[in-house]
Amino acid sequence: MAQSPVLRPGHVVLRVLDLEAAVVHYRDRLGLQEIERDGQGRVYLKGWDEQDWFSVVLREADRPGMDSMAFKVISAAALDSLEKDLNAYGCKTARLAAGELSHCGERVRFTLPTGHAIDLYAQKDYMGNGLGRVNPDPWLEGIKGMQAQRFDHCLLYGADLDATIKVLTEVLKFDLTEKVVDGDFVIAAFLSCSNKAHDIAFVRHAEDNKFHHASFLIGTWEEVLRAADIISMHEISLDLGPTRHGITRGRTIYFFDPSGNRNEVFCGDYTWYPDHQPITWTADQIGRAIFYHDRKLNENFLNVVT
Amino acid sequence: MQTEMTFEVRILDTGESFPCRAGENILKAMERLGRVGIPVGCRGGGCGVCKVQIRGGRFTTQRMSRAHVSEAEETVGVALACRLSPMSDIDLKIVGRMQKKMACATGASQPVT
Ligand code: FES
Ligand SMILES: [Fe+2]
């Protein structure tokens, strides 16, 4: 296994039914910073500890869900060579001009076999986290709500999991870190391009291009409980938690934005190194794989997607 | 003091009914009262799980995902319960249903216990 030229999830573009309600949710409840709005009315936000210009883009539309998820790659040369590799593998790509998303460089877009649009880019303008780079303080004052530090990963639903895993591992050099299997049949897959337990994950599902959740990192289990308090204070639609995942070990809570897109805030997964071996969960233990305490699956968690 | 206006929501499939305040969505009213009947999903008009068809009475809706309620459906009273508020007593049929969507090797659904 090699280190991937892909650095990390860079941003996610989400569709929402009511833009202002969504901004209140992502800014004041999750605690992302509203950075700017563009000519198309799209809203750009970032977590307080992120260095680049934005990590979440909200777009008003007649149906919620995910437009695309983007990954930052290590250099312009890596972007060019990944584009060639994708094409050689049989994946069509398209170039999206620099500035199409504000402050983001040129993007290479391709569609995963599960139907999801994935963008790669090498450049996004630097904003910094507001703490400076010389003798910085450890955290920023005045951050709202759950105080999400950064965008972390997405879980996506679609049919051809095997082909999606193949593109991500063979072309983009992601590692498969964990999987749920029924015999040889892969039900769910967790993949990393970095040191994290996952940067993107998939669950097999009849319908393609479905969005399960976008996840944001917070600091501690105490902060997960505090997120749960905020969910009740503001009557946010709770999915489930606080609880623990068997898979990735994350301590977590799930809830919905005002348009029905699921969010997660979590803390405490493990460190992945590219020489590690993947973890396997068997279908008969799937309850504890996903919800380690309840040890059973929740209908809504499985079935509710946008 | 003004008394709060409430309307009766009747689920024709089960014959059950519950009261809903004016301006409140019927899914929220059902959950607040600890009642069941209409499937509950995202509560935000996005997932389509709470889809119903109004068979009698007046109501208003907030924006709903077009992926789940088409314009044609909307004209015949199909709506998402989490985005629907009554303006009179209403009768409804349940359209949405929790489907088991996680596939497994046999093609059948994963047992959810
Ligand atoms: S519960 Fe998801 S659309 Fe109503
Ligand atoms: Fe997650």
Side-chain angles (χ1 to χ4, degrees):
Chain A
M1 282 176 225
Q3 296 257 245
S4 173
V6 180
L7 285 174
R8 61 170 173 272
H11 63 255
V12 60
V13 183
L14 296 175
R15 297 185 303 271
V16 297
L17 295 171
D18 177 334
L19 191 67
E20 293 317 316
V23 170
V24 168
H25 175 86
Y26 286 93
R27 184 192 57 202
D28 300 345
R29 309 302 174 233
L30 268 123
L32 304 179
Q33 298 167 318
E34 182 179 342
I35 304 301
E36 67 171 89
R37 300 188 181 215
D38 70 15
Q40 298 177 37
R42 295 177 296 191
V43 180
Y44 297 67
L45 305 105
K46 76 184 261 304
W48 71 265
D49 205 17
E50 288 176 303
Q51 306 286 342
D52 284 352
W53 208 267
F54 64 88
S55 62
V56 172
V57 181
L58 303 175
R59 176 173 83 83
E60 191 164 288
D62 71 358
R63 66 203 65 199
M66 186 186 84
D67 274 347
S68 59
M69 180 180 177
F71 290 86
K72 191 175 193 184
V73 305
I74 197 150
S75 65
L79 186 64
D80 292 342
S81 81
L82 284 167
E83 182 183 36
K84 283 200 196 79
D85 295 346
L86 281 164
N87 295 151
Y89 186 83
C91 272
K92 285 201 204 77
T93 57
R95 289 249 173 184
L96 295 160
E100 195 283 321
L101 282 173
S102 190
H103 295 274
C104 184
E106 197 174 19
R107 287 172 287 151
V108 170
R109 171 165 296 185
F110 67 102
T111 305
L112 286 171
T114 42
H116 303 92
I118 301 291
D119 290 354
L120 305 174
Y121 66 92
Q123 189 274 330
K124 192 182 275 178
D125 288 346
Y126 175 81
M127 175 166 289
N129 61 8
L131 298 169
R133 287 184 288 180
V134 180
N135 309 325
D137 291 317
W139 48 271
L140 209 58
E141 285 184 306
I143 303 301
K144 293 180 182 170
M146 301 175 193
Q147 306 184 333
Q149 296 170 13
R150 59 167 170 75
F151 169 49
D152 190 87
H153 64 268
C154 286
L155 173 59
L156 307 174
Y157 275 36
D160 196 349
L161 234 57
D162 312 287
T164 279
I165 295 166
K166 214 159 161 328
V167 178
L168 290 173
T169 55
E170 291 183 13
V171 185
L172 302 187
K173 309 293 181 208
F174 280 53
D175 294 326
L176 182 69
T177 59
E178 304 200 27
K179 60 184 175 179
V180 183
V181 297
D182 187 355
D184 289 335
F185 187 77
V186 177
I187 298 170
F190 298 77
L191 298 118
S192 177
C193 61
S194 68
N195 247 184
K196 289 153 54 192
H198 61 329
D199 289 301
I200 191 168
F202 296 88
V203 167
R204 198 182 291 267
H205 174 73
E207 216 180 331
D208 276 336
N209 196 18
K210 287 288 161 186
F211 172 78
H212 189 273
H213 69 262
S215 183
F216 299 85
L217 182 74
I218 56 177
T220 63
W221 172 239
E222 194 65 29
E223 288 179 31
V224 177
L225 301 184
R226 194 171 161 278
D229 293 341
I230 291 166
I231 286 167
S232 283
M233 276 178 206
H234 295 284
E235 294 192 51
I236 293 168
S237 173
L238 175 71
D239 187 22
L240 62 91
T243 187
R244 156 90 78 178
H245 285 307
I247 300 168
T248 76
R249 300 184 196 155
R251 281 156 274 180
T252 181
I253 187 164
Y254 289 93
F255 50 99
F256 295 97
D257 80 7
S259 307
N261 294 309
R262 191 186 278 94
N263 298 151
E264 172 186 33
V265 291
F266 83 104
C267 70
D269 56 358
Y270 57 82
T271 306
W272 172 263
Y273 288 100
D275 62 333
H276 286 184
Q277 296 297 317
I279 290 166
T280 299
W281 298 85
T282 55
D284 61 318
Q285 295 290 316
I286 195 167
R288 82 193 250 289
I290 299 184
F291 301 119
Y292 189 69
H293 299 156
D294 280 356
R295 282 165 276 142
K296 60 178 186 229
L297 285 176
N298 163 301
E299 288 265 305
N300 275 19
F301 191 80
L302 282 189
N303 298 316
V304 174
V305 290
T306 54
Chain B
M1 209 174 98
Q2 213 178 343
T3 47
E4 206 173 354
M5 184 101 97
T6 67
F7 301 112
E8 205 60 18
V9 177
R10 189 160 54 234
I11 303 174
L12 296 174
D13 310 67
T14 61
E16 285 206 63
S17 67
F18 57 86
C20 180
R21 297 173 186 148
E24 185 179 38
N25 75 64
I26 60 172
L27 199 69
K28 190 170 182 179
M30 184 190 81
E31 283 198 280
R32 181 171 52 75
L33 296 164
R35 306 293 289 276
V36 293
I38 307 170
V40 179
C42 67
R43 307 182 186 90
C47 72
V49 160
C50 67
K51 195 166 171 177
V52 297
Q53 185 171 25
I54 302 299
R55 293 296 180 84
R58 288 177 302 114
F59 61 95
T60 55
T61 54
Q62 289 175 286
R63 194 169 196 184
M64 303 175 283
S65 174
R66 271 282 172 252
H68 296 295
V69 181
S70 68
E71 278 171 63
E73 285 179 312
E74 215 175 318
T75 62
V76 296
V78 172
L80 300 174
C82 64
R83 309 290 271 185
L84 184 156
S85 301
M87 296 171 72
S88 72
D89 291 349
I90 54 175
D91 292 340
L92 63 83
K93 293 273 286 182
I94 292 166
V95 180
R97 151 178 91 81
M98 202 58 100
Q99 289 145 343
K100 301 232 168 62
K101 287 173 173 170
M102 193 189 223
C104 79
T106 57
S109 341
Q110 264 320 112
V112 178
T113 50

